[in-house]
Amino acid sequence: MAVRPVLKMGHPILQQTAAPVTDFDDPKLAAIVGDMFDTMAALNGAGLAAPQIGESIQLVIFQVANNPRYPTAEAVPKTILINPTITPLSDTQVDDWEGCLSIPGMRGLVPRYQSIRYTGYDLNGTPLAIEASDFHARVVQHEVDHLFGILYPQRIKDLRYFGFESELFPADLS
Ligand code: NI
């Protein structure tokens, strides 16, 4: 297990569609997941997608509990999600601020579906099917976008609401 370097916006791997996982018994898969949790924890991330550490496979993780980068966010259970699909449960979208470890120091106001159902597989290859709303749903949509080469600035409707955290939220630095 190791903290790995996180690729930054502009790196071509972040612009690719990642390959589906086909061999759940490959020990390399568990090693990548371990590195991803170490990396996410070291950087106070809410989630991380495998392409962000240079592994172009359909694998994301997320977990939110007392995160200093998201102090008001509700908790999100620790999840390993492989080969995911997302289905919106209604057309309702909500705007909220997002950040990304591949775009350090910045935040943007991003519309996301408020409620979704997501499916996929855990590390053992066991199918998952979960309904989520609000911040949990937002984190899943953000992370799964990474698997299709999409970073959150591509979702921002009004680029006036994209900028440096220190300028957008100066009070938070106190
Ligand atoms: Ni991200």
Side-chain angles (χ1 to χ4, degrees):
M1 308 298 175
V3 175
R4 302 257 297 257
V6 174
L7 304 182
K8 303 297 193 298
M9 183 168 67
H11 194 291
I13 288 179
L14 296 177
Q15 299 168 355
Q16 294 171 4
T17 294
V21 171
T22 54
D23 181 5
F24 287 86
D25 296 324
D26 183 347
K28 190 165 177 264
L29 187 62
I32 292 170
V33 169
D35 287 354
M36 287 172 67
F37 274 106
D38 287 352
T39 303
M40 183 174 76
L43 299 172
N44 292 317
L48 192 68
Q52 291 181 276
I53 61 164
E55 305 285 354
S56 190
I57 58 173
Q58 297 262 331
L59 159 63
V60 303
I61 64 168
F62 42 87
Q63 177 177 27
V64 179
N66 302 319
N67 188 319
R69 287 181 70 239
Y70 298 94
T72 62
E74 66 252 40
V76 178
K78 178 178 179 176
T79 305
I80 299 163
L81 180 63
I82 296 171
N83 299 348
T85 68
I86 291 176
T87 307
L89 294 178
S90 83
D91 291 336
T92 304
Q93 297 202 357
V94 287
D95 288 327
D96 206 349
W97 293 96
E98 294 187 14
C100 180
L101 297 178
S102 293
I103 313 169
M106 301 194 78
R107 292 292 168 113
L109 194 66
V110 183
R112 299 286 186 187
Y113 290 107
Q114 185 168 25
S115 298
I116 61 170
R117 172 186 166 89
Y118 62 93
T119 69
Y121 299 86
D122 71 10
L123 186 54
N124 300 315
T126 304
L128 300 176
I130 296 169
E131 291 187 2
S133 57
D134 303 314
F135 189 69
H136 183 177
R138 176 172 298 277
V139 168
V140 176
Q141 290 169 86
H142 174 114
E143 297 310 328
V144 172
D145 263 357
H146 276 293
L147 304 181
F148 296 91
I150 298 169
L151 300 179
Y152 78 79
Q154 294 164 252
R155 301 279 190 196
I156 296 172
K157 297 295 184 210
D158 183 342
L159 284 167
R160 290 178 298 171
Y161 299 100
F162 179 47
F164 290 91
E165 243 174 322
S166 54
E167 304 290 359
L168 290 163
F169 308 109
D172 291 356
L173 297 177
S174 62

